Amino acid sequence: IDESNADGHYILWPKDPYVSAKKWYDWVRKEYGVQDVGILIVDSHSIPLRRGTVGISLSHWGFHPLIDYRGTPDLFGRPYKVSLTDIPDGLAGAAVLCMGEGSETTPLALATDLPFVTFSEKPYEATTPYSSFQIPLEEDLYYPFFKFPPWQKGGGGEGGEE
């Protein structure tokens, strides 16, 4: 929820950001007659132990979200074991930087000539193990922090015991 730059109103994320991105994708392709186009819906957030905000992708449509380097050689000929590049969040960071976080009133950023982007009319589907963009909680790097704290059932926010 964002109240800044909303003139006394609140701005919510789209109810289903991927549906919204697909609608914008379809509209841009029809309205402008382009085939290779990608849509990002972005917002900004903070990072622990850093001042300022950085852009993140809420959703994307029209391109593959990952570059998978696993199995390819690094600069010294050693094969990468885990390296994947998150294109939507990288582009979101650049877009939010260009659009501004203050009174710039720039609601849209256009990026062109991105040789690392593979356009696609269909949603991205993982074809190899551990190559999905969104991952199950158990595969997340931060899963141990979610699994092992001494969670206690609270009152559900209704004045019950915590």
Side-chain angles (χ1 to χ4, degrees), residues 1-155:
I1 298 175
D2 194 348
E3 185 184 16
S4 65
N5 294 324
D7 196 24
H9 301 280
Y10 291 93
I11 300 170
L12 305 176
W13 283 0
K15 187 173 185 176
D16 187 333
Y18 281 92
V19 169
S20 296
K22 173 70 162 88
K23 286 180 181 178
W24 280 107
Y25 171 82
D26 290 339
W27 182 84
V28 168
R29 286 176 49 124
K30 180 180 178 186
E31 187 72 20
Y32 295 100
V34 294
Q35 294 299 309
D36 290 342
V37 64
I39 299 293
L40 280 173
I41 297 178
V42 303
D43 198 359
S44 55
H45 75 134
S46 59
I47 297 174
L49 305 175
R50 295 280 195 268
R51 295 191 200 283
T53 59
V54 65
I56 60 166
S57 169
L58 303 181
S59 66
H60 67 279
W61 199 275
F63 62 95
H64 293 238
L66 297 171
I67 298 174
D68 190 349
Y69 289 102
R70 294 173 297 177
T72 64
D74 68 10
L75 292 174
F76 303 100
R78 299 174 300 210
Y80 284 107
K81 294 181 181 178
V82 295
S83 191
L84 291 104
T85 296
D86 173 346
I87 295 171
D89 287 306
L91 291 176
V96 167
L97 181 63
C98 291
M99 292 185 297
E101 286 289 320
S103 60
E104 292 88 350
T105 64
T106 307
L108 177 74
L110 177 65
T112 61
D113 300 320
L114 303 173
F116 51 85
V117 171
T118 302
F119 294 102
S120 175
E121 294 180 22
K122 298 178 182 178
Y124 174 77
E125 291 185 29
T127 57
T128 58
Y130 303 106
S131 67
S132 61
F133 183 61
Q134 294 175 330
I135 61 174
L137 180 62
E138 294 78 20
E139 291 179 18
D140 192 277
L141 178 66
Y142 299 101
Y143 177 63
F145 296 107
F146 296 121
K147 181 178 178 167
F148 297 114
W151 299 110
Q152 294 179 359
K153 185 172 181 167

